[in-house]
Amino acid sequence: LLSDYGLADGFVGALHSVLRTLLPAVPIVDLTHDIAPGDVRAGSQALQRAAHYLAPGVVLAVVDPGVGTDRRAVAVQAAGTDVVFVGPDNGLLLPALDALGGPALAVELKDLGYWLASPGPTFAGRDILAPAAAHLAAGGDISALGTTLHHVSLARLPRPRMVTHPDGSLEAEVTWVDRFGNVQLAAGEGDLAGAPLVVVVTAAGPARTARAVRTYAELADGELGILVDSYGSLALSLNGASAASSLGVAERDLVIVGPPRGEPGP
Amino acid sequence: LLSDYGLADGFVGALHSVLRTLLPAVPIVDLTHDIAPGDVRAGSQALQRAAHYLAPGVVLAVVDPGVGTDRRAVAVQAAGTDVVFVGPDNGLLLPALDALGGPALAVELKDLGYWLASPGPTFAGRDILAPAAAHLAAGGDISALGTTLHHVSLARLPRPRMVTHPDGSLEAEVTWVDRFGNVQLAAGEGDLAGAPLVVVVTAAGPARTARAVRTYAELADGELGILVDSYGSLALSLNGASAASSLGVAERDLVIVGPPRGEPGP
Amino acid sequence: LLSDYGLADGFVGALHSVLRTLLPAVPIVDLTHDIAPGDVRAGSQALQRAAHYLAPGVVLAVVDPGVGTDRRAVAVQAAGTDVVFVGPDNGLLLPALDALGGPALAVELKDLGYWLASPGPTFAGRDILAPAAAHLAAGGDISALGTTLHHVSLARLPRPRMVTHPDGSLEAEVTWVDRFGNVQLAAGEGDLAGAPLVVVVTAAGPARTARAVRTYAELADGELGILVDSYGSLALSLNGASAASSLGVAERDLVIVGPPRGEPGP
């Protein structure tokens, strides 16, 4: 499960209750429910980060600002895997599906026989998606849930920005700021020439020098580092403090990192 | 499980640990543990919202400012169901019990043989309620846990205020502000004449007009809507923003909604 | 499981996913994941509080600011129990191990065959510790995971300060401020003479008088109490409000409590 429901309101409890009623014995993993409300981009990237570690089974993901409208609810099998994603067709699912080989069979959840009766249309997670996920996790046929779609018709968000410039620098979107203040960029190890020092330019402050390291603990207090994080992405980090706060950057900001030249800032 | 323990302190982990020691194989659903500390009213309403979706079994609910005093700890079966509630007798349990047909057999948890030995009396959830819940979830007899009570003696909170006025307006308490800022009222669809527009009056700001809609996404940016939420209650909402912040209302405030007349505010 | 990963980022979801992939059927208890980032002391004390309530099995604990460096990752059996702790060797595990009879067999997790392949070294919880925990929870041999250590070599944090003075007062570190604002001290019931009133001195404000009580509800509004909490420690409490805020104290602060004399403050 992944959602923007938060843990305070009982929405997640309702999902679990419905799943447990239909499916008492299957283990449930909560990836996170603290995606910012309605932030489909952040949800899609959290799901993508989880993709390679998913247990075989069904992934129910709900970040769904268009709930109750004619945006489609879908179930999509990842090609060549035992993983089926269930969620709104708003771009949330595709980055994770792509990480697992791309979408194969896709079905729109139109068969009302699987929906729970509900007093209002604003909680599709409980009323439409959870019963579909339970059906699938119990070994049910995906085709029974509705009508087959061509996966090319699935909604897709723009990829996070990542551009390499002729001078060897790269301009990358901040894809994630984690609890520790690490700043993950939309770039991987291979996107940066392997210099021991890079210059980091943000809109918010002066240019900073970052040292290439493998682990946080190699950094002195206050020293900015750049490393390959546990998802294979480049990340800016401090040791025991928040690089995001120090740099003044947030998710979706652009950051330029590149080889030192002239007089880099402090 | 439902409580005001929060997830930071390990209280919920202690509940799970005790339950798992006594009962390794039964699935556990966490409805929420983020009820505001000591807010029995909020806990009772969260439990009531969950009632129709509960899997058969035992509901352990703890919002218990009177812990360790002579307030009773009870187990109460919901009439005609397989659901038993375990918790303090302070009004927390009755709205959910009422939603499921009312309390049937009620027992005060007096048999010390089921209590865990404990260095202090302030964690009844772990020491008294969890072992009782485990006994019941393992198929044990409710009567073994203590002495039978008449359910009329169970503590009951006042219902949230809801009054209809002769001019067709209704005055209703805010029962819940969720993570998305939706403002749930102590009123259902049938309590409001089906006009497309209603005027919303709060203590905090000028009168506002709300448009009756089915889903959030029908609303323009900044437009206030009124809809039937996923629990069958009337709720005030914005699309992608917090109606509670916009209106300046919080749980327990009173809101008047009614037919437009004269010059409604902006 | 216990960690400082928080619930927002998907780190905990990744742990669960890895565990479920390797170990579909074993129940998992989350003690807490909201230890302050990198706060090994707070994590060690939360784990110690949980120790007596742990179900038999494996405890995976991760508060690991030195991740990826040469700090060791270990598995340690608690003497005379069925509980094995897995985590970094930085002091996190020992207070809980001591509460359960001390460390017996200890192994450094050096056998790479149990590690997950990973793009970066900063998520040992997912890549090294979780697979080791799954191996143990499946009944695997602890010795297979690496090389045996002498448990005397395990890292140990200083104990929280607690000193008794000749005048009968005691000076104790604040070990924990919980969600309700209760201030737990590094002292137990036996450390304080059984007077009905004690004087509480903190660095932050004037001396205060506290009344010895058994439960929060015995206290009048605003009255400070001292009681034995549900872990057997002395704690300062208010009824329905935060004693920590009222006293201006935080974890690790020193508090002096002692017999009244002269003119105690308000």
Side-chain angles (χ1 to χ4, degrees):
Chain A
L1 310 185
L2 175 144
S3 78
D4 66 345
Y5 287 155
L7 293 174
D9 283 318
F11 296 127
V12 173
L15 282 193
H16 277 253
S17 293
V18 168
L19 291 170
R20 282 294 171 228
T21 301
L22 298 169
L23 203 72
V26 172
I28 298 174
V29 171
D30 294 289
L31 294 174
T32 176
H33 297 287
D34 283 331
I35 301 299
D39 191 342
V40 179
R41 181 202 62 82
S44 74
Q45 293 180 4
L47 204 56
Q48 181 186 19
R49 284 190 294 272
H52 289 297
Y53 299 93
L54 294 169
V58 180
V59 179
L60 171 53
V62 200
V63 181
D64 193 11
V67 62
T69 66
D70 57 5
R71 73 91 189 85
R72 301 181 296 198
V74 295
V76 190
Q77 179 138 22
T81 73
D82 290 328
V83 180
V84 184
F85 291 78
V86 174
D89 177 27
N90 62 7
L92 180 66
L93 308 179
L94 272 180
L97 281 158
D98 288 346
L100 294 177
L105 187 58
V107 168
E108 182 175 1
L109 306 178
K110 285 195 126 165
D111 188 329
L112 305 185
Y114 289 95
W115 298 20
L116 296 192
S118 168
T122 57
F123 195 177
R126 181 192 67 190
D127 302 328
I128 302 173
L129 303 174
H135 166 80
L136 294 167
D141 183 11
I142 187 172
S143 304
L145 294 168
T147 53
T148 304
L149 296 173
H150 198 293
H151 61 72
V152 168
S153 75
L154 294 172
R156 189 178 281 277
L157 297 173
R159 282 171 185 261
R161 180 174 173 85
M162 204 283 280
V163 182
T164 51
H165 292 301
D167 65 356
S169 68
L170 63 88
E171 186 176 348
E173 194 173 319
V174 173
T175 47
W176 182 32
V177 173
D178 72 15
R179 183 184 206 215
F180 303 90
N182 298 304
V183 177
Q184 190 189 60
L185 303 178
E189 186 167 20
D191 296 319
L192 193 68
L197 290 179
V198 299
V199 175
V200 178
V201 181
T202 63
R208 295 268 293 270
T209 300
R211 182 157 68 93
V213 292
R214 282 185 70 252
T215 67
Y216 311 127
E218 294 168 47
L219 295 166
D221 269 11
E223 185 187 17
L224 187 66
I226 188 163
L227 49 71
V228 178
D229 74 6
S230 58
Y231 298 93
S233 297
L234 290 178
L236 300 166
S237 299
L238 292 176
N239 183 6
S242 168
S245 299
S246 172
L247 291 167
V249 298
E251 292 181 11
R252 312 202 64 171
D253 285 353
L254 290 178
V255 172
I256 300 170
V257 298
R261 238 170 345 161
E263 287 138 323
Chain B
L1 309 186
L2 175 143
S3 78
D4 66 344
Y5 289 154
L7 294 174
D9 283 318
F11 297 128
V12 172
L15 281 192
H16 277 254
S17 293
V18 168
L19 291 170
R20 281 293 170 228
T21 302
L22 299 170
L23 203 73
V26 171
I28 298 175
V29 170
D30 294 289
L31 294 173
T32 176
H33 297 286
D34 282 332
I35 301 300
D39 192 341
V40 179
R41 180 203 63 82
S44 74
Q45 293 181 4
L47 204 56
Q48 180 185 23
R49 284 192 294 273
H52 287 300
Y53 299 92
L54 294 168
V58 180
V59 179
L60 171 53
V62 201
V63 181
D64 192 11
V67 63
T69 67
D70 57 4
R71 73 93 188 83
R72 302 182 296 200
V74 295
V76 190
Q77 179 137 23
T81 72
D82 291 328
V83 180
V84 183
F85 291 78
V86 174
D89 178 27
N90 61 6
L92 180 66
L93 308 178
L94 272 179
L97 280 160
D98 288 346
L100 293 178
L105 187 59
V107 168
E108 183 176 0
L109 305 178
K110 286 196 126 165
D111 189 328
L112 306 185
Y114 289 95
W115 298 20
L116 296 192
S118 170
T122 57
F123 195 178
R126 179 192 68 190
D127 302 328
I128 301 172
L129 303 173
H135 166 79
L136 294 167
D141 184 11
I142 186 172
S143 303
L145 294 169
T147 54
T148 305
L149 296 173
H150 198 294
H151 62 71
V152 168
S153 75
L154 294 172
R156 189 177 280 278
L157 298 172
R159 281 170 186 264
R161 180 174 173 84
M162 204 285 280
V163 182
T164 51
H165 291 300
D167 67 355
S169 68
L170 63 88
E171 186 176 347
E173 193 172 320
V174 173
T175 47
W176 181 33
V177 172
D178 72 17
R179 183 185 207 214
F180 304 90
N182 298 303
V183 177
Q184 190 189 60
L185 303 177
E189 186 168 19
D191 297 318
L192 193 70
L197 290 179
V198 299
V199 175
V200 177
V201 181
T202 63
R208 296 268 294 269
T209 300
R211 183 157 67 93
V213 292
R214 283 185 71 252
T215 67
Y216 311 126
E218 295 168 47
L219 295 166
D221 268 11
E223 185 187 17
L224 187 66
I226 188 164
L227 50 71
V228 179
D229 73 7
S230 58
Y231 298 94
S233 296
L234 291 177
L236 300 165
S237 300
L238 292 176
N239 184 6
S242 167
S245 299
S246 173
L247 291 166
V249 298
E251 292 182 11
R252 311 202 65 171
D253 285 352
L254 291 177
V255 171
I256 300 170
V257 299
R261 236 168 347 158
E263 285 137 323
Chain C
L1 309 186
L2 175 143
S3 79
D4 66 344
Y5 289 155
L7 294 174
D9 283 317
F11 297 127
V12 173
L15 282 193
H16 277 255
S17 293
V18 168
L19 291 170
R20 282 296 171 227
T21 302
L22 299 169
L23 204 72
V26 171
I28 298 175
V29 171
D30 294 289
L31 295 173
T32 176
H33 297 286
D34 283 331
I35 301 300
D39 192 341
V40 179
R41 181 204 62 83
S44 74
Q45 293 181 3
L47 203 57
Q48 180 186 24
R49 284 191 295 273
H52 288 298
Y53 298 93
L54 293 169
V58 180
V59 179
L60 171 53
V62 201
V63 181
D64 193 11
V67 63
T69 65
D70 57 3
R71 73 92 190 85
R72 301 181 295 199
V74 294
V76 190
Q77 179 137 22
T81 73
D82 291 330
V83 180
V84 183
F85 291 77
V86 174
D89 177 27
N90 61 7
L92 180 66
L93 308 178
L94 271 180
L97 280 159
D98 288 345
L100 294 178
L105 186 58
V107 169
E108 184 176 0
L109 306 177
K110 286 196 126 166
D111 188 330
L112 305 185
Y114 289 94
W115 298 19
L116 295 193
S118 169
T122 57
F123 195 177
R126 179 192 68 190
D127 302 328
I128 301 173
L129 303 173
H135 167 78
L136 294 167
D141 183 12
I142 186 172
S143 304
L145 294 169
T147 54
T148 305
L149 296 174
H150 198 293
H151 61 72
V152 168
S153 75
L154 294 172
R156 187 178 282 278
L157 297 173
R159 282 171 185 263
R161 180 174 173 83
M162 204 285 281
V163 182
T164 51
H165 292 301
D167 65 356
S169 68
L170 64 89
E171 187 176 347
E173 194 172 320
V174 174
T175 46
W176 182 33
V177 172
D178 72 15
R179 184 185 205 214
F180 303 91
N182 299 303
V183 176
Q184 190 188 61
L185 303 178
E189 187 168 18
D191 296 319
L192 193 69
L197 290 179
V198 299
V199 174
V200 178
V201 180
T202 63
R208 295 268 294 269
T209 300
R211 182 157 67 91
V213 293
R214 282 186 70 253
T215 66
Y216 312 125
E218 295 168 48
L219 295 166
D221 269 13
E223 185 186 17
L224 186 66
I226 187 163
L227 50 70
V228 179
D229 74 6
S230 58
Y231 298 94
S233 297
L234 290 178
L236 300 166
S237 299
L238 292 176
N239 184 7
S242 168
S245 300
S246 172
L247 292 167
V249 298
E251 292 181 12
R252 312 203 63 172
D253 284 354
L254 290 177
V255 172
I256 300 170
V257 299
R261 238 166 347 156
E263 286 138 323

